[in-house]
Amino acid sequence: MDGPVSLELIRFTAEFHDWANDRILRAAEAAGEEAAGARIPGSYGDGSLHALLAHLVAAERHWLRRWLGDSEAKLDGPATWPTTAAVREAWELHRPERARFFAELDEARLLSVCRYRRNQPPLPDERPLWQLILHVFNHSTHHRAEAAAILTTIGRPPESVDMIDYIRRDG
């Protein structure tokens, strides 16, 4: 059975995703390290902006490793990148490999099954790759929204991360 998404849509969404993440990271950098401790109750980890940003990077690296065949990949914690600058550096180091993955992705691979071990609980799992890619996009959108809420609450709102603004970016 074919998947309900096309390679073109996956690549478009990956590019949008990078654009939106960059806007959130720029806003966090502009807000300064004191803003990194601002919190949203119930959010990832301790609910801080730093924890959210570090989790975004960690999750993307984690899932990419799985997509590339590391079925035992582990999720890094926020302490791996103790500052917003360190989170940005990790993101920038990760981007080329991620971009290469999406550039080299083909329809057959998109429809293939990705096998990995879930961390909680530690069990074998497998899903079509396209579903896992969409999961990562959705997961990041959720946490970007939380980060945007924190930044807005402290008076440092990010530029829009709406897809329509990405579509309209060139006029």
Side-chain angles (χ1 to χ4, degrees), residues 19-170:
W19 174 88
N21 281 352
D22 188 59
R23 285 184 163 212
I24 291 293
L25 283 168
R26 275 200 324 254
E29 290 168 327
E33 282 306 317
E34 60 279 355
R39 295 179 183 349
I40 187 167
S43 187
Y44 177 81
D46 66 2
S48 69
L49 179 59
H50 173 262
L52 285 167
L53 297 176
H55 181 63
L56 274 171
V57 170
E60 292 203 4
R61 289 166 38 108
H62 173 72
W63 279 103
L64 180 62
R65 287 192 301 260
R66 285 176 165 177
W67 301 341
L68 292 172
D70 181 359
S71 63
E72 301 292 326
K74 303 287 186 222
L75 185 64
D76 295 317
T80 306
W81 306 286
T83 64
T84 305
V87 170
R88 166 62 85 174
E89 183 179 354
W91 173 250
E92 293 302 330
L93 288 172
H94 166 73
R95 273 175 102 156
E97 184 178 24
R98 197 171 160 281
R100 189 170 41 258
F101 171 81
F102 285 113
E104 294 173 358
L105 187 63
D106 61 24
E107 292 285 345
R109 179 77 192 276
L110 188 60
L111 297 174
S112 70
V113 172
C114 179
R115 291 171 180 80
Y116 60 96
R117 289 188 67 76
R118 280 194 272 164
N119 295 338
Q120 297 297 326
L123 298 170
D125 203 350
E126 61 181 50
R127 305 280 174 220
L129 181 60
W130 66 266
Q131 288 180 357
L132 299 176
I133 292 170
L134 291 181
H135 160 69
V136 171
F137 293 156
N138 185 65
H139 175 266
S140 293
T141 297
H142 172 82
H143 289 308
R144 273 196 309 268
E146 291 175 321
I150 291 171
L151 288 162
T152 301
T153 299
I154 65 170
R156 304 300 298 257
E159 295 176 88
S160 171
V161 292
D162 239 355
M163 186 178 280
I164 194 65
D165 291 319
Y166 172 73
I167 292 167
R168 293 176 177 156
R169 73 193 180 284
D170 297 326

